[in-house]
């Protein structure tokens, strides 16, 4: 089973190839370049470095949103282009779900936050029961203050992840009563490898 995963839902552009639950390659860039400049060269670099025959890909996973409108359009067009050219299925994975999956099997409540401006965030609330991720609150957009209120009602330690952290950290630290932490650099932004891992579960369930 080989999945090509693409996430361009934020400033981060990230591409990965996962083969039989082994990460074969991952390329992530978080820089001020448009995804139209980065995505295809990144995929081409991975293809060349691991001598990837594109015909051996079983499915293409794509972060389906929420996120940057332009970024999502570029990513979706890229995934659909490969899907049509190779006659392979495309797996649509919600952006926030994939971001939460960075913290696989965490003991904490997992709360991704992507900056949506004007003190709003794209978010969701998740927890893991062993290796199974449960969605407490499906991905949505809401005011950061309303999200803090909901998390305080749950009353369990929270781990935040996502590009909303540097924007909203002061508000969270000032107003949130519940113990909370912030994911480290290795997992606090979109990762195509996490997207691919979650997409493999979707594929097994026929969600293509």
């Amino acid at each position: 089973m080989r999945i090509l995963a693409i996430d361009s839902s934020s400033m981060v552009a990230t591409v990965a190839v996962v083969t039989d639950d082994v990460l074969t390659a991952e390329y992530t860039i978080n820089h001020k370049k448009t995804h139209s400049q980065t995505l295809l060269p990144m995929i081409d670099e991975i293809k060349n470095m691991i001598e990837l025959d594109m015909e051996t890909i079983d499915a293409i996973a794509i972060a389906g949103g929420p996120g940057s409108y332009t970024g999502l359009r570029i990513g979706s067009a890229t995934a659909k282009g490969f899907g049509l050219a190779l006659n392979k299925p495309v797996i649509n994975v919600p952006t926030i779900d994939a971001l939460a999956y960075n913290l696989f099997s965490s003991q904490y409540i997992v709360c991704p936050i992507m900056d949506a401006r004007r003190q709003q965030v794209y978010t969701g609330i998740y927890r893991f029961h062993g290796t199974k991720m449960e969605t407490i609150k499906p991905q949505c957009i809401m005011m950061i203050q309303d999200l803090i209120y909901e998390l305080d009602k749950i009353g369990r330690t929270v781990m935040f992840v996502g590009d909303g952290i540097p924007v909203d950290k002061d508000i969270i630290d000032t107003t949130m009563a519940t113990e909370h932490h912030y994911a480290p650099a290795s997992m606090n932004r979109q990762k195509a490898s996490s997207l691919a891992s979650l997409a493999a579960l979707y594929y097994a369930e026929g969600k293509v």
Side-chain angles (χ1 to χ4, degrees):
M1 176 64 185
R2 177 170 286 161
I3 294 177
L4 169 66
I6 301 167
D7 191 333
S8 57
S9 58
S10 68
M11 181 71 75
V12 175
T14 177
V15 177
V17 175
V18 171
T19 307
D20 295 332
D21 294 325
V22 174
L23 177 60
T24 315
E26 186 169 26
Y27 194 158
T28 301
I29 293 289
N30 186 8
H31 191 65
K32 294 181 179 179
K33 285 189 175 181
T34 65
H35 295 311
S36 59
Q37 294 175 288
T38 56
L39 268 188
L40 286 174
M42 289 166 66
I43 293 170
D44 190 52
E45 181 73 12
I46 282 178
K47 174 181 173 293
N48 293 333
M49 287 294 289
I50 65 173
E51 299 178 346
L52 175 65
D53 178 357
M54 297 297 283
E55 294 289 344
T56 65
I57 291 170
D58 294 291
I60 298 102
I62 182 66
S68 158
Y69 180 61
T70 301
L72 290 170
R73 286 172 61 206
I74 293 167
S76 295
T78 303
K80 288 171 71 176
F82 278 118
L84 288 168
L86 300 170
N87 193 28
K88 305 293 183 180
V90 175
I91 307 168
N92 172 40
V93 179
T95 301
I96 301 299
D97 290 16
L99 199 48
Y101 215 69
N102 282 5
L103 298 171
F104 178 79
S105 204
S106 173
Q107 62 181 312
Y108 303 120
I109 294 293
V110 177
C111 185
I113 50 175
M114 291 176 64
D115 181 33
R117 301 183 182 178
R118 299 180 181 178
Q119 295 191 349
Q120 297 180 101
V121 287
Y122 298 119
T123 189
I125 303 174
Y126 306 82
R127 66 182 167 197
F128 283 87
H129 298 283
T131 59
K132 184 175 176 59
M133 186 170 76
E134 176 194 350
T135 302
I136 299 173
K137 184 181 185 66
Q139 64 175 25
C140 61
I141 187 170
M142 61 192 304
M143 299 297 294
I144 185 65
Q145 293 88 347
D146 295 336
L147 174 61
I148 291 168
Y149 176 74
E150 287 202 25
L151 292 169
D152 278 340
K153 281 201 302 181
I154 294 171
R156 288 181 53 193
T157 303
V158 177
M159 180 71 76
F160 287 100
V161 55
D163 63 21
I165 292 173
V167 180
D168 297 307
K169 186 176 185 296
D170 288 345
I171 296 173
I172 295 169
D173 289 342
T174 302
T175 62
M176 190 167 178
T178 306
E179 182 181 2
H180 56 277
H181 307 284
Y182 302 100
S186 59
M187 57 184 67
N188 68 12
R189 294 294 188 274
Q190 280 78 357
K191 291 170 65 75
S193 51
S194 296
L195 175 70
S197 297
L198 192 52
L201 299 180
Y202 282 31
Y203 184 87
E205 296 169 2
K207 295 180 182 177
V208 298

